């Protein structure tokens, strides 16, 4: 079920009810099963998101090295709250839990690619490269 | 103390993840040796080695392997690469720098236990690591190392599959991991029966951490006694300790299991940034009870840390300097457990949110002394009342932080504000390299 929903998300951008039904149908199970999985795991999106997903870790080790400041900075810069999408549809920003990069904190994922040892300048460069 | 390196010795070498360099450095010789042994003799070496699980619980690996019922087939091996405990960041580097060491460990383990299908459950956020591991498995398969004939020598079919998670801390709990592998939400199962008896798809299943399995080739190559000799008492070998927070050189350090915690921080990690004092140390991932700065002159061996009132857990050491607000630190930890509680058991689902709320209230200066007492009461009613250990993991930090830093909690109440402000939160990265198994990051 997880690989099926991931594939659906890759193709359609998010795990819509139609994707859930399709996955359930192909796997011979009920749509409720698919929905249960789609809503349990944070990496599945049940609503459309921006063109790029920016996920900032604010857990302890990242915060000790400025992770929460980085998150506040990005909220301000993009003009969004946690989970929000910038008005131009370019970025969806959200706070996430520990990414397993505590020694090279602070860290963020951009479209599932990990970036570490961040500061505002580095974040600007990374996001500036994206359409 | 011994300087022997088992897990990190190839990190940083050019193309260390490639099969070619792994073989050039003697890789897969341990599998070759194992195939010349009786499977039971391989299990005996692992028992003799005193290898204990590196995922957090520290359970004796060889003993766990003997729990498999003798006559039930198929059996499965599941390797836990979910690595999500805050402060823990070691398994990812094993996979990045030396995936074939893990694959060789898997092959030997499967041969020893007559297992023909192994699943590596890797957290969804480790996309790069999943890719590296899949490529290495493909390479090993193409080279005839994995089934249908192991190393092209022994008829033994072995399939190794990488399964990506999708973002859920609870799936690092072994029975939730199995549920997730089966395509369900990660709700932990009631135990007993334990997974070794009733595991994946109802079949006997061994679940071991990445680091645990990566030690197996060295044990077979050098003998269980040699591994045991690197440690003390009932704990053998070296371990990967991940140090983060206010130290001059954060990173991953491979040290003998009984290495001294204070020495690790003050010497290997170069002490605390700016020469400040250590206020507190979390020794084994965010769920392990916190130690005060004057309690850290201890061995990191599992039983020694337990005797000191905490847990060596996943080896994730988080260091706080004396400018840091411990209430704020606990608030962030409590938020994590409230977020990650799966919601199956009431004491954990409700209790974690209550704890988060009360700690936040204290941090912001809105609490009374009764709230501190209520916090302790709530924490005391979660541990031991739930299906899995997440409830305990959430309450242990609360209980230890309040016990050891009660003055700080009460100061927040009396002054109606946080006396520390932003101090300690937001260290400058530019002058502080990380050192991961000898490699500078």
């Amino acid at each position: 079920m997880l690989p099926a929903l991931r594939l659906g998300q890759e193709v359609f951008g998010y795990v819509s009810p139609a994707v859930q039904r399709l996955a359930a149908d192909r796997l011979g199970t009920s749509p409720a099963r698919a929905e249960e999985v789609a809503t349990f795991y944070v990496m599945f999106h049940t609503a459309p998101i921006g063109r790029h997903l920016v996920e900032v870790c604010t857990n302890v080790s990242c915060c000790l090295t400025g992770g929460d400041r980085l998150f506040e900075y990005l909220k301000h810069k993009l003009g969004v709250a946690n989970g929000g999408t910038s008005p131009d549809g370019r970025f969806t920003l959200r706070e996430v839990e520990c990414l397993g990069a505590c020694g090279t904190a602070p860290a963020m994922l951009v479209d599932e690619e990990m970036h570490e040892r961040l500061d505002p300048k580095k974040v600007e460069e990374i996001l500036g490269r994206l359409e | 103390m011994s300087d022997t390196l088992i897990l990190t010795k190839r990190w940083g070498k050019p193309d260390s993840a490639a099969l070619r360099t792994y073989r050039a450095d003697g890789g897969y010789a341990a599998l070759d040796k194992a195939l010349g042994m009786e499977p039971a003799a391989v299990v005996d070496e692992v028992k003799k080695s005193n290898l204990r699980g590196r995922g957090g619980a520290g359970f004796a690996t060889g003993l766990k392997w003997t729990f498999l019922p003798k006559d039930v087939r198929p059996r499965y091996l599941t390797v836990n690469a979910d690595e999500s405990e805050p402060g823990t960041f070691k398994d990812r580097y094993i996979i990045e720098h030396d995936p074939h060491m893990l694959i060789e460990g898997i092959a030997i383990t499967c041969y020893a236990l007559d297992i023909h299908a192994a699943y590596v459950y890797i957290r969804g956020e480790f996309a790069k690591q999943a890719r590296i591991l899949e490529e290495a498995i493909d390479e090993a398969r193409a080279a005839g190392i994995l089934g249908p004939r192991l190393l092209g020598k022994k008829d033994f079919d072995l399939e190794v599959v990488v399964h990506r998670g999708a973002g859920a801390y609870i799936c690092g709990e072994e029975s939730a991991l199995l549920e997730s592998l089966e395509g369900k939400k990660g709700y932990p199962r009631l135990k007993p029966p334990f997974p070794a008896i009733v595991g994946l798809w109802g079949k006997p299943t061994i679940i071991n951490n990445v680091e645990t399995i990566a030690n197996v080739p060295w044990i077979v190559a050098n003998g269980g006694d040699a591994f045991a000799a690197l440690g003390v008492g009932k704990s053998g070998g070296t371990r990967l300790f991940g140090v983060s927070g206010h130290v001059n050189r954060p990173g991953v350090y491979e040290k003998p299991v009984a290495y001294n915690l204070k020495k690790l921080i003050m010497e290997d990690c170069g002490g605390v940034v700016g020469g400040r004092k250590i206020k507190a140390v979390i020794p084994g991932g965010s769920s392990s009870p916190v130690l005060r700065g004057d309690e850290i002159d201890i061995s990191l061996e599992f039983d020694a840390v337990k005797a000191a009132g905490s847990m060596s857990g996943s080896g994730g050491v988080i260091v706080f300097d004396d400018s840091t607000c411990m209430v704020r630190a606990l608030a962030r930890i409590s938020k994590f457990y409230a977020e990650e509680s799966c919601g199956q058991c009431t004491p954990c689902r409700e209790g974690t949110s209550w704890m988060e709320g009360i700690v936040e209230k204290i941090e912001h200066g809105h609490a009374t002394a009764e709230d501190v007492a209520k916090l302790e009461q709530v924490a005391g009613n979660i541990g031991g009342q739930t299906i899995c250990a997440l409830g305990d993991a959430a309450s242990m930090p609360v209980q230890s932080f309040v016990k050891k830093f009660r003055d700080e909690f009460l100061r927040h109440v009396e002054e109606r504000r946080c006396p520390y402000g932003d101090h300690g939160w937001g260290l400058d990265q530019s002058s502080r390299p990380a050192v991961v198994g000898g490699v500078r990051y």
Side-chain angles (χ1 to χ4, degrees), chain B residues 2-199:
Chain B
S2 156
D3 295 328
T4 304
L5 297 179
I6 295 173
L7 299 157
T8 59
K9 60 179 185 288
R10 299 184 65 252
W11 294 12
K13 285 188 167 188
D15 285 331
S16 66
L19 177 60
R20 176 178 51 80
T21 65
Y22 187 66
R23 293 203 97 154
D25 291 337
Y28 289 108
L31 175 60
D32 192 37
K33 183 177 175 186
L35 295 179
M37 297 163 67
E38 284 300 317
V42 178
V43 176
D44 281 341
E45 287 304 320
V46 173
K47 275 197 213 160
K48 268 197 280 180
S49 75
N50 289 335
L51 172 62
R52 291 172 68 168
R54 304 301 197 227
F59 195 82
T61 304
L63 181 62
K64 191 189 246 187
W65 289 4
T66 63
F67 293 160
L68 287 169
K70 292 209 165 19
D71 45 5
V72 185
R73 298 290 186 283
R75 301 162 156 184
Y76 298 109
L77 173 68
T78 302
V79 179
N80 188 341
D82 197 57
E83 187 151 82
S84 305
E85 170 90 358
T88 314
F89 51 100
K90 57 184 183 71
D91 297 335
R92 56 171 284 196
Y93 293 115
I94 294 177
I95 295 170
E96 282 175 38
H97 291 289
D98 213 349
H100 283 285
M101 181 186 269
L102 176 62
I103 296 167
E104 185 175 12
I106 291 170
I108 295 171
T109 304
C110 288
Y111 169 72
L113 301 176
D114 192 26
I115 290 172
H116 297 272
Y119 298 88
V120 181
Y121 186 95
I122 187 164
R123 63 177 299 184
E125 291 86 347
F126 285 173
K128 175 176 133 188
Q129 289 79 2
R131 209 160 48 233
I132 291 171
L133 188 57
E134 278 179 338
E135 282 168 14
I137 291 167
D138 288 345
E139 216 183 354
R141 195 180 289 124
I145 292 167
L146 303 173
R149 285 168 68 78
L150 282 180
L151 272 182
K153 286 185 174 173
K154 193 139 197 150
D155 282 326
F156 190 101
D157 197 29
L158 174 60
E159 187 164 13
V160 184
V161 177
V162 177
H163 186 98
R164 284 181 68 195
Y169 168 71
I170 192 62
C171 291
E173 195 278 340
E174 58 180 15
S175 64
L177 185 154
L178 297 178
E179 289 286 305
S180 184
L181 255 179
E182 292 180 5
K184 297 176 238 167
K185 62 183 174 181
Y187 267 13
R189 298 175 181 172
L190 273 170
K191 290 180 255 185
F194 289 93
I197 314 295
V198 180

Side-chain angles (χ1 to χ4, degrees), chain A residues 1-3 6 33 36-37 40-44 58-61 63-66 68-69 95-106 109 112 114 116-118, chain B residues 86-89 92 123-126 164-167 171 180 183-186 244-246 250 320 328 332-333 335-336 340 422 424-427 429 432-434 441:
Chain A
M1 181 62 80
L2 274 70
R6 176 173 287 116
R33 248 299 144 71
E36 176 178 289
V37 173
F40 186 84
Y41 297 92
V42 299
M43 290 178 74
F44 292 133
T58 62
N59 211 301
V60 177
S61 296
C63 275
L64 291 174
T65 51
D68 55 351
R69 287 183 194 173
E95 179 178 27
V96 290
E97 295 299 344
C98 185
L99 294 173
C102 317
T104 46
L109 288 176
E112 295 197 7
M114 184 102 75
E116 300 164 69
R117 289 172 55 81
L118 296 170
Chain B
T88 314
F89 51 100
R92 56 171 284 196
R123 63 177 299 184
E125 291 86 347
F126 285 173
R164 284 181 68 195
C171 291
S180 184
K184 297 176 238 167
K185 62 183 174 181
S244 62
H246 291 142
F320 301 90
R328 181 165 168 184
R332 187 58 189 85
I333 291 170
K335 181 183 173 190
F336 169 73
E340 297 294 345
D422 242 10
W425 302 90
L427 197 59
Q429 285 304 301
R432 206 183 64 131
Y441 271 71

